[in-house]
Amino acid sequence: MDALPHARARRPCMPARRAGMPLRAARRRHAASRTASQAPRRRSSAKRLASTLHTAHTPNKGLLHPPPPPLALTPQSASDPNTPMDALWHIARTMPPLRKWVVVNRAADANLLEYISQQGGPGVRQALELVLESLELQRSSMQRMRTS
């Protein structure tokens, strides 16, 4: 009697055989039901794996990007034509010693130059005179080339 429960414990869990069903058919029925019940789990884990791999190949997806470092307000940044216009306006409003460097920036528009000329500052008048003189020389050389 003790040998029978021990033997049952070693056998895999199988559904009960129907009356008259051979053992081989019962095993096939059990294998078919087992794969059918496990198939959705395999697909969902495959989808999870695919989504994990997809996000692994897209760097920084969903991550916050740190802001750019603040712009250093120096004569180089004030005279650099790649400096954004709002930074040039900020320099013109808040940094009077750097206004002369904004004047020589070729990206500075007429409104900004007008504002700086009205506000003044150390060296602004001389910088404006140099810029206007260089523009006058450039214009006169262009006229000479046209007449020649």
Side-chain angles (χ1 to χ4, degrees):
M1 201 85 159
D2 289 333
L4 189 59
H6 182 68
R8 267 193 215 158
R10 289 184 178 203
R11 280 193 294 168
C13 178
M14 279 193 356
R17 269 195 304 173
R18 293 187 188 156
M21 180 185 278
L23 183 59
R24 184 176 288 171
R27 285 185 180 155
R28 273 186 281 185
R29 186 171 141 234
H30 174 66
S33 68
R34 188 181 68 213
T35 57
S37 66
Q38 290 177 351
R41 280 188 285 178
R42 285 185 191 146
R43 273 185 264 145
S44 65
S45 65
K47 285 181 183 177
R48 248 181 305 168
L49 180 62
S51 69
T52 304
L53 291 175
H54 178 68
T55 56
H57 291 298
T58 53
N60 299 332
K61 183 177 182 184
L63 299 177
L64 295 176
H65 298 287
L71 184 65
L73 302 179
T74 62
Q76 290 83 12
S77 64
S79 60
D80 183 18
N82 295 324
T83 303
M85 188 58 69
D86 58 343
L88 293 177
W89 274 99
H90 176 73
I91 291 170
R93 287 186 191 115
T94 60
M95 304 289 291
L98 296 180
R99 287 180 185 157
K100 63 183 172 187
W101 297 104
V102 176
V103 169
V104 298
N105 190 337
R106 25 178 206 162
D109 60 357
N111 292 333
L112 181 59
L113 294 176
E114 179 68 27
Y115 175 80
I116 291 173
S117 69
Q118 289 175 1
Q119 296 300 312
V124 169
R125 182 177 174 157
Q126 292 85 5
L128 284 169
E129 287 174 358
L130 284 173
V131 168
L132 292 175
E133 184 180 324
S134 68
L135 288 174
E136 187 64 34
L137 286 173
Q138 186 180 18
R139 189 174 60 160
S140 65
S141 67
M142 292 296 280
Q143 286 178 350
R144 275 189 237 135
M145 287 175 54
R146 287 183 192 158
T147 58
S148 308

